[in-house]
């Protein structure tokens, strides 16, 4: 029995679900089929998706990025998308709805980009703090604003991912709690609405993974562009 609306996001809410965080690693079960000697339909589909993502991330990162850097963002997108999508199934914990998971993905990337930029492109990083055509009077304020915007980047990435995952699950939970005391006509309407919300959440699960990976690649392009 659910004690509160947010207990569905609590990994320790039930003694029978103590291993909820293991759902984060369930995507590993998908990849062995890509190593078959004879390609199947799934492996062909995965290769086409990876090639498409590689070409797109290559355009976002630019030609100055080290070779193979697109694999980092492709793997990040796959990890988040699979965990988001698995969270829509019953009794599978949505680990990406927790800030702990989202921060663990965003903060190391942001820190690595900042260290690389300040060590290798220090002049560019200082110049990036003051946009072009900024009046001399506003330069100190612009440095402060740009510094704050750089510092909060991992937080905004994490909150965006977690908030979108929580919002959809809360709507599904709220509608599901109302079905027990509803008439047959209302029950049919709510079931139809829940199906539409489930389709919407499936799209959101993929879109949020794509947005997270694209923003991370754009942040990396800022430090390797010069």
């Amino acid at each position: 029995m659910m004690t509160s609306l947010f207990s569905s996001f609590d990994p320790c809410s039930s003694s029978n679900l103590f291993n909820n965080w293991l759902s984060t690693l369930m995507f590993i079960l998908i990849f062995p089929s890509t190593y078959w000697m004879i390609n199947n339909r799934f492996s062909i589909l995965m290769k086409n998706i990876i090639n498409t993502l590689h070409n797109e991330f290559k355009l976002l990162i630019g030609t100055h990025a080290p070779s193979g850097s697109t694999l980092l963002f492709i793997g990040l997108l796959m990890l988040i998308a699979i965990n988001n999508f698995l969270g829509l199934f019953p009794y599978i914990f949505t680990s990406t709805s927790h800030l702990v998971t989202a921060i663990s993905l965003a903060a190391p990337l942001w820190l690595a980009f900042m260290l690389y930029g300040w060590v290798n492109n220090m002049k560019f990083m200082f110049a990036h703090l003051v946009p072009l055509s900024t009046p001399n009077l506003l330069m100190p304020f612009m440095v402060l604003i740009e510094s704050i915007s750089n510092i909060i980047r991992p937080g905004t990435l994490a909150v965006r991912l977690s908030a979108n995952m929580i919002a959809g699950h809360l709507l599904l939970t709220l509608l599901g709690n109302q079905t027990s005391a509803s008439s047959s006509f209302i029950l049919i309407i709510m079931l139809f609405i829940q199906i539409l919300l489930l389709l919407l959440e499936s799209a959101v699960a993929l879109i949020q993974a794509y947005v997270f990976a694209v923003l991370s690649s754009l942040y990396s392009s800022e430090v390797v562009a010069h």
Side-chain angles (χ1 to χ4, degrees):
M1 182 177 179
M2 189 168 60
T3 56
S4 67
L5 187 60
F6 288 90
S7 62
S8 60
F9 303 101
D10 185 7
C12 302
S13 60
S14 175
S15 59
N16 296 325
L17 301 177
F18 63 93
N19 56 352
N20 276 331
W21 289 105
L22 292 178
S23 63
T24 309
L25 303 177
M26 289 181 64
F27 74 97
I28 297 177
L29 301 176
I30 299 175
F31 289 102
S33 60
T34 60
Y35 297 100
W36 290 5
M37 295 182 63
I38 300 176
N39 291 331
N40 56 1
R41 292 180 180 179
F42 177 76
S43 62
I44 294 174
L45 176 63
M46 289 296 295
K47 288 179 181 178
N48 292 334
I49 293 175
I50 290 173
N51 290 332
T52 303
L53 292 174
H54 169 74
N55 295 330
E56 186 164 350
F57 284 125
K58 194 67 177 177
L59 294 175
L60 293 174
I61 298 173
T63 58
H64 300 278
S67 59
S69 57
T70 57
L71 297 177
L72 170 66
F73 302 107
I74 293 174
L76 182 66
L77 188 149
M78 292 290 184
L79 172 64
I80 298 175
I82 292 173
N83 278 280
N84 290 349
F85 192 73
L86 286 176
L88 298 175
F89 289 91
Y91 303 107
I92 297 182
F93 179 64
T94 311
S95 59
T96 49
S97 64
H98 280 250
L99 280 174
V100 174
T101 303
I103 286 288
S104 299
L105 295 173
L109 286 175
W110 172 82
L111 183 60
F113 297 154
M114 289 296 103
L115 289 176
Y116 180 87
W118 285 106
V119 171
N120 297 284
N121 300 317
M122 185 174 294
K123 292 182 179 180
F124 170 73
M125 296 297 290
F126 276 118
H128 187 68
L129 296 176
V130 182
L132 294 175
S133 304
T134 302
N136 295 332
L137 185 62
L138 296 178
M139 283 184 179
F141 298 101
M142 293 304 299
V143 171
L144 180 61
I145 293 172
E146 289 294 329
S147 300
I148 294 175
S149 66
N150 284 331
I151 292 173
I152 66 174
R153 278 179 176 179
T156 55
L157 279 177
V159 170
R160 182 186 294 108
L161 176 61
S162 299
N164 281 280
M165 290 297 101
I166 289 175
H169 285 69
L170 284 181
L171 285 175
L172 292 172
T173 304
L174 284 172
L175 290 176
N177 291 338
Q178 303 300 321
T179 56
S180 58
S182 302
S183 61
S184 300
F185 178 72
I186 300 298
L187 184 62
I188 293 174
I189 295 177
M190 295 183 67
L191 182 61
F192 179 72
I193 294 175
Q194 280 190 320
I195 293 174
L196 293 180
L197 280 176
L198 189 61
L199 294 176
L200 178 62
E201 277 300 296
S202 301
V204 169
L206 299 177
I207 291 171
Q208 288 304 315
Y210 178 77
V211 169
F212 194 100
V214 166
L215 289 178
S216 300
S217 64
L218 290 176
Y219 295 158
S220 68
S221 66
E222 293 182 358
V223 300
V224 299
H226 296 276

